Amino acid sequence: MATRLVQINMKAQDDAALGRFWAEVLGWGVDSEGPGVTNLEPVGFAYPAPAAVCIDLVARPEPKTVKNRVHLDLATTSTAHQAELVARLKDLGATLADVGQGDVPWTVMADPEGNEFCVLEPREIYRDTGPIAAVVVDCTDPRAMARFWGEAMDWTVHEVADDHASMRSAHGVGPYLEFVRTPDIKSGWNRVHLDIRPYRGDDPEAEEARLRALGASDPGIDQSAISWRILTDPEGNEFCLLSPR
């Protein structure tokens, strides 16, 4: 049994408006499975293929109040492309953001609802990821996170160090999942989280039990009205275990 990262879930006060922003940023298509939910994926994409990690925006009334522990890094192909993308993002409604990054070659920005993301300088490693270079998770122990997520999913762990770790689909396509050590302490429910999905034919209850044995926990909320399972990773970050597909 195994799972794979298929999408990130992002809470939004206006899911449709924020969905339009991110669709413009990524050049992706927009769909909806119902009121208050906006789905983004590449045009012509066959979900859930490994070539992309999709985005689901879900309406929630609460405003963002703290720095997100999960964010996107956008890829660029040249210094000129990076500058052009930053300028285009500003025209779309993004703003520059200061999260204490100091003098770095990438540009930290925030979308219209304040969600942080980075526009990276060109890096060879991200030349074939598509517009999203990486999904980045803040953590206190990248090694431990890489151990958990490396066993939770069938993705390949590429690099592990004290301050960062990275992994990618075993197919060698799509964005990376990266864990970066930060001093920040998790506060409240994450507005952005990972959604993972078992493969068709897998037993979801057995998969949940396997994840719990690896170190996943129950967030302690009523889940009787939903068809998926909400769990937390070893550092308390919520994630969803979707139905097999």
Side-chain angles (χ1 to χ4, degrees):
M1 293 184 294
T3 67
R4 72 279 205 204
L5 177 61
V6 292
Q7 62 203 33
I8 64 168
N9 182 295
M10 183 182 298
K11 301 299 184 285
Q13 290 187 295
D14 188 335
D15 63 286
L18 196 60
R20 288 192 296 271
F21 168 84
W22 279 106
E24 287 285 344
V25 170
L26 302 172
W28 286 7
V30 181
D31 200 356
S32 177
E33 61 195 70
V37 180
T38 298
N39 311 111
L40 306 181
E41 61 182 44
V43 176
F45 180 71
Y47 180 91
V53 172
C54 301
I55 301 176
D56 272 10
L57 298 110
V58 179
R60 292 287 301 181
E62 304 89 354
K64 179 180 180 292
T65 57
V66 298
K67 177 178 174 288
N68 289 334
R69 295 190 68 77
V70 180
H71 73 264
L72 298 180
D73 281 355
L74 303 184
T76 63
T77 57
S78 67
T79 301
H81 180 212
Q82 182 185 15
E84 291 166 2
L85 180 55
V86 168
R88 186 169 72 86
L89 289 164
K90 288 180 178 178
D91 289 341
L92 291 173
T95 55
L96 297 178
D98 186 351
V99 295
Q101 69 269 22
D103 184 15
V104 293
W106 59 89
T107 303
V108 182
M109 306 190 77
D111 69 19
E113 291 203 7
N115 299 297
E116 302 86 4
F117 65 95
C118 296
V119 181
L120 301 180
E121 77 284 3
R123 302 183 194 180
E124 181 64 19
I125 192 173
Y126 301 132
R127 70 189 184 282
D128 62 351
T129 60
I132 300 176
V135 178
V136 183
V137 181
D138 291 351
C139 65
T140 59
D141 189 343
R143 291 184 182 276
M145 291 289 273
R147 282 194 299 271
F148 171 78
W149 285 103
E151 295 185 46
M153 304 194 300
D154 63 358
W155 282 29
T156 301
V157 176
H158 283 259
E159 187 175 7
V160 179
D162 289 341
D163 60 350
H164 70 279
S166 67
M167 55 197 306
R168 195 184 192 193
S169 167
H171 297 276
V173 295
Y176 287 78
L177 176 62
E178 299 180 350
F179 305 99
V180 177
R181 188 175 65 186
T182 67
D184 306 325
I185 303 299
K186 183 177 184 291
S187 174
W189 192 269
N190 287 349
R191 287 183 67 82
V192 183
H193 69 251
L194 308 180
D195 283 352
I196 61 175
R197 189 182 289 277
Y199 287 87
R200 187 184 303 276
D202 284 351
D203 181 345
E205 292 186 1
E207 189 59 34
E208 179 183 350
R210 187 182 72 86
L211 293 171
R212 288 179 181 273
L214 293 175
S217 301
D218 191 324
I221 60 173
D222 180 11
Q223 303 189 46
S224 60
I226 58 177
S227 59
W228 59 92
R229 296 299 297 171
I230 303 174
L231 298 168
T232 58
D233 70 18
E235 293 207 1
N237 299 298
E238 301 84 11
F239 67 93
C240 289
L241 176 65
L242 306 180
S243 58
R245 185 169 172 180

